Amino acid sequence: MNSKNMLKKSPKVVVVGAGIAGVGAAGKLITQGLTDVQIIEASSQPGGRIRASLFGKSAIDEGAQYIHGASMKNPIFQLAKEHGLLWETHDRSGSELSVLTNMQKQLDPDVIKEVKNLASSILRNAHLLADQKGYTQAKSLADVYLEEVKMLLTQWDGDHIDLRRQKQGLLSMFMKWQCVHLATDGLSEVSVHEYEEYKNIDGDDRNFQGLFPTLLQKLLEAIPREKLLLKKPVKQILWNGSFESEDGSMYPVRVVCEDGDHILADHVIFSISLGCLKANGQSLFQPRLPEQKLSAIQSMGFGTMNKIYLEYEAPFWDENTDIIGLVWEEETPLSGQKPNLAEWWKRVPVFHVVRPTERYGHVLVGTISGKEAEFVESLNLQEVASSFTCLFRQFTGRSSLPELKNVFVTKWFSNPYTRGSYSHISINSTGAMIDLLTEPLPQATEGSSSPMLQVLFAGEATHRSYHSTTHGALLSGWREATRLIDHYSTK
Ligand SMILES: Cc1cc2nc3c(=O)[nH]c(=O)nc-3n(C[C@H](O)[C@H](O)[C@H](O)COP(=O)(O)OP(=O)(O)OC[C@H]3O[C@@H](n4cnc5c(N)ncnc54)[C@H](O)[C@@H]3O)c2cc1C
Ligand SMILES: *[C@@H]1O[C@H](CO)[C@@H](O)[C@H](O)[C@H]1NC(C)=O
Ligand SMILES: *[C@@H]1O[C@H](CO)[C@@H](O)[C@H](O)[C@H]1NC(C)=O
């Protein structure tokens, strides 16, 4: 370090992005004594993919809503517990799944359970099945799923034609549901190794509608208000430089904002979504990101999953139904591999009943992924509402089913500060690419005389085993904060 650097009181850290990764990183830095922190956020509020919006009687979650692995091994669960936010789980047993078909049938719970277990075991074990069954060419989850489905269909040859159609339709429904979980257009885009890399945390997936925005507020309490700059999109990061501040101190990094402001830093923790990195990664950094990193960014998977909230005057579903599954009897997983924008609503596998009713009113939330999820963002709400009125009239056989009161569609794909929903391991990428993306700059080999850890990478997509989740995002922010804390404590 040169003598001017030595004069600085405390290293200056800029965190780009105030999602849970950025907020978590800043909070940890401040509580551990690296207090010269500035968070720069593009939108008018912090939270990123944790976001509440008014709908009907209350605020609903546009983004994260489930704790995946609700146990003390999950840092989100831990924090929620510490802050006393678990007093109410809105999910009861959570998964009373009632499946209707477009032929007005209600499917047998035992059949649903059987097919559900088959579908999820194929996908969870896809990488093992690929080895065991010699699907040596298998690259994607679809390569395994479709082979296994073909076998199942032969096994079901003896079943009554109606039952077989229903089971096929169920396999197709569960496939679409899986695509929602993976935020992908199709299983053919997702690596057969996805569930080898992604790790489940002990505990159920529990529905905590309304919890995440409150949890984010708790994390924000650790950060003095003036350290958070809103409505300030970052345009470029100039790194590996030598920039002089007004007081004569030298910094290696200069953060350039869209509004022309420049902020100097010793370290930048970069936490914007992989979707934004894909769109702007080439121009965001000067010097350019190393080729390997750019190529990892391009190859990694990042897709869209949207939510569709519907509000009714009165429920048409059963009191004890938690989830309404939708089966199109003529469908099989082997058909319909192409996007069908003309009938985009067929991509919605399930609607969840939003609880508690006293807080939300009679509200359903549907999920949709892929090209159809991008398309639904462009439709006017009247059109969306009438599509589902038609659909539910067809599925229930009740032509008198009332019109909707209110409808809301999330727009994660067209949101310029997310450009999609979350990441997965695509057929073109590997778990190792996540580690590559995560490596700080400058790389150890580049000019060892330049200051280390100028640009660090956090965010959901940088967590190899928990990508796509809030706990992955939070842990990634803590990881990068800890990297800096360790850097200074070992000096
Ligand atoms: C529809 C949906 C449902 C989900 N459901 C769940 C769930 O049930 N459970 C779960 O655990 N996870 C869920 N997730 C995933 C979870 O929300 C994310 O993994 C997590 O919130 C990501 O946090 P992050 O900090 O990495 O990124 P983000 O939240 O995207 O934060 C990045 C921040 O950077 C800002 N930014 C972008 N560009 C710039 C720029 N140029 N300059 C400055 N700031 C910029 C953005 O505005 C944003 O605030 C869901 C996500 C979506 C979209
Ligand atoms: C994988 O890479 C090929 C070749 O570059 C490309 O055409 C394809 O769209 C990519 N697929 C995915 C899912 O990223
Ligand atoms: C960073 O700066 C050093 C010293 O000027 C130089 O040798 C090195 O090539 C630079 N690295 C990049 C990625 O530009």
Side-chain angles (χ1 to χ4, degrees):
M1 270 196 178
N2 64 36
S3 58
K4 279 182 175 169
N5 261 349
M6 300 294 278
L7 294 176
K8 278 188 285 184
K9 289 189 288 293
S10 163
K12 182 159 178 196
V13 186
V14 167
V15 176
V16 180
I20 192 167
V23 169
K28 182 161 276 276
L29 288 170
I30 291 168
T31 46
Q32 305 270 321
L34 291 186
T35 54
D36 194 354
V37 174
Q38 189 77 255
I39 312 185
I40 309 183
E41 165 57 48
S43 69
S44 57
Q45 55 185 14
R49 283 169 272 173
I50 292 175
R51 184 153 99 182
S53 279
L54 275 179
F55 178 75
K57 288 173 69 179
S58 197
I60 44 86
D61 289 322
E62 284 198 51
Q65 169 187 345
Y66 289 82
I67 297 187
H68 295 297
S71 72
M72 288 305 273
K73 293 191 178 152
N74 186 322
I76 296 281
F77 185 87
Q78 262 180 45
L79 278 174
K81 188 161 184 183
E82 258 167 50
H83 290 289
L85 302 176
L86 297 177
W87 44 275
E88 187 181 18
T89 84
H90 313 315
D91 203 23
R92 301 183 306 171
S93 69
S95 49
E96 192 58 40
L97 171 60
S98 157
V99 178
L100 305 175
T101 81
N102 59 328
M103 308 303 280
Q104 299 87 45
K105 296 212 182 68
Q106 177 149 13
L107 300 189
D108 176 359
D110 290 334
V111 175
I112 298 170
K113 208 181 209 171
E114 177 199 340
V115 178
K116 184 181 184 180
N117 290 340
L118 283 169
S120 74
S121 127
I122 296 170
L123 290 164
R124 288 276 155 191
N125 299 308
H127 58 288
L128 300 174
L129 287 169
D131 282 348
Q132 285 163 14
K133 304 256 178 117
Y135 307 139
T136 46
Q137 301 300 309
K139 279 173 68 181
S140 73
L141 287 177
D143 291 341
V144 173
Y145 193 67
L146 298 183
E147 282 307 311
E148 292 289 303
V149 164
K150 278 183 205 155
M151 260 173 27
L152 286 173
L153 296 187
T154 349
Q155 283 171 26
W156 294 343
D157 260 348
D159 290 343
H160 187 275
I161 173 80
D162 286 348
L163 179 61
R164 216 173 66 209
R165 279 162 58 108
Q166 291 167 7
K167 285 186 181 173
Q168 285 176 13
L170 275 169
L171 280 175
S172 180
M173 181 191 97
F174 285 119
M175 181 175 77
K176 290 182 257 180
W177 200 351
Q178 200 65 39
C179 288
V180 163
H181 289 317
L182 293 161
T184 185
D185 196 29
L187 296 182
S188 57
E189 295 192 341
V190 182
S191 166
V192 71
H193 299 292
E194 168 66 32
Y195 290 115
E196 198 176 358
E197 295 290 350
Y198 180 88
K199 301 286 186 274
N200 280 317
I201 294 187
D202 291 350
D204 297 333
D205 289 354
R206 271 165 64 187
N207 184 354
F208 288 100
Q209 180 75 244
L211 169 97
F212 283 95
T214 314
L215 190 68
L216 192 95
Q217 288 309 315
K218 297 286 178 198
L219 289 172
L220 279 165
E221 283 170 10
I223 299 162
R225 181 60 191 81
E226 72 277 7
K227 294 194 187 289
L228 173 61
L229 299 179
L230 298 173
K231 291 197 224 172
K232 216 167 173 63
V234 166
K235 188 173 152 194
Q236 218 178 23
I237 312 274
L238 311 180
W239 59 287
N240 205 35
S242 196
F243 305 102
E244 187 168 353
S245 73
E246 275 165 16
D247 70 7
S249 314
M250 301 303 291
Y251 295 87
V253 186
R254 191 209 302 252
V255 179
V256 183
C257 301
E258 296 275 3
D259 62 10
D261 269 2
H262 291 218
I263 298 166
L264 302 184
D266 293 297
H267 311 282
V268 171
I269 298 182
F270 205 71
S271 77
I272 73 172
S273 77
L274 178 60
C276 293
L277 266 179
K278 277 178 183 286
N280 306 319
Q282 297 263 3
S283 60
L284 262 169
F285 296 88
Q286 186 60 41
R288 263 163 65 96
L289 291 177
E291 277 312 317
Q292 269 190 316
K293 228 191 234 299
L294 282 173
S295 132
I297 289 168
Q298 288 318 321
S299 311
M300 288 169 66
F302 190 80
T304 303
M305 180 290 237
N306 272 317
K307 299 189 183 182
I308 302 166
Y309 282 91
L310 311 177
E311 189 190 12
Y312 289 87
E313 206 67 70
F316 64 82
W317 50 91
D318 264 4
E319 174 58 28
N320 48 9
T321 296
D322 295 308
I323 307 171
I324 304 168
L326 304 170
V327 160
W328 300 83
E329 286 196 27
E330 66 281 4
E331 260 183 24
T332 90
L334 306 172
S335 62
Q337 291 294 308
K338 291 222 178 70
N340 177 4
L341 300 186
E343 296 177 302
W344 59 270
W345 54 85
K346 287 191 171 176
R347 267 303 286 260
V348 177
V350 294
F351 276 90
H352 289 252
V353 178
V354 179
R355 292 213 164 82
T357 308
E358 307 80 67
R359 187 187 308 163
Y360 296 101
H362 303 292
V363 173
L364 297 178
V365 55
T367 47
I368 186 168
S369 74
K371 288 278 176 287
E372 285 88 344
E374 295 171 12
F375 180 69
V376 70
E377 294 184 15
S378 69
L379 297 174
N380 77 47
L381 294 179
Q382 205 49 54
E383 205 174 336
V384 175
S386 64
S387 299
F388 288 111
T389 300
C390 266
L391 183 149
F392 282 120
R393 283 179 181 167
Q394 180 183 359
F395 274 64
T396 58
R398 288 159 55 189
S399 56
S400 61
L401 215 66
E403 301 277 346
L404 291 163
K405 233 173 101 180
N406 213 342
V407 57
F408 182 92
V409 176
T410 63
K411 297 190 171 180
W412 292 108
F413 178 69
S414 44
N415 182 332
Y417 303 127
T418 47
R419 295 177 177 268
S421 300
Y422 43 83
S423 68
H424 57 257
I425 299 183
S426 89
I427 48 166
N428 293 333
S429 75
T430 59
M433 279 189 194
I434 299 181
D435 295 339
L436 212 155
L437 174 67
T438 306
E439 262 177 40
L441 296 174
Q443 289 166 316
T445 50
E446 289 164 25
S448 52
S449 61
S450 39
M452 296 300 290
L453 305 181
Q454 295 174 24
V455 186
L456 302 93
F457 294 85
E460 158 271 306
T462 70
H463 201 291
R464 186 159 170 175
S465 23
Y466 302 147
H467 54 267
S468 81
T469 65
T470 46
H471 54 276
L474 177 62
L475 288 171
S476 77
W478 286 349
R479 176 191 68 215
E480 297 311 315
T482 304
R483 205 193 290 273
L484 286 177
I485 293 157
D486 289 351
H487 178 68
Y488 285 100
S489 63
T490 54
K491 268 200 168 158

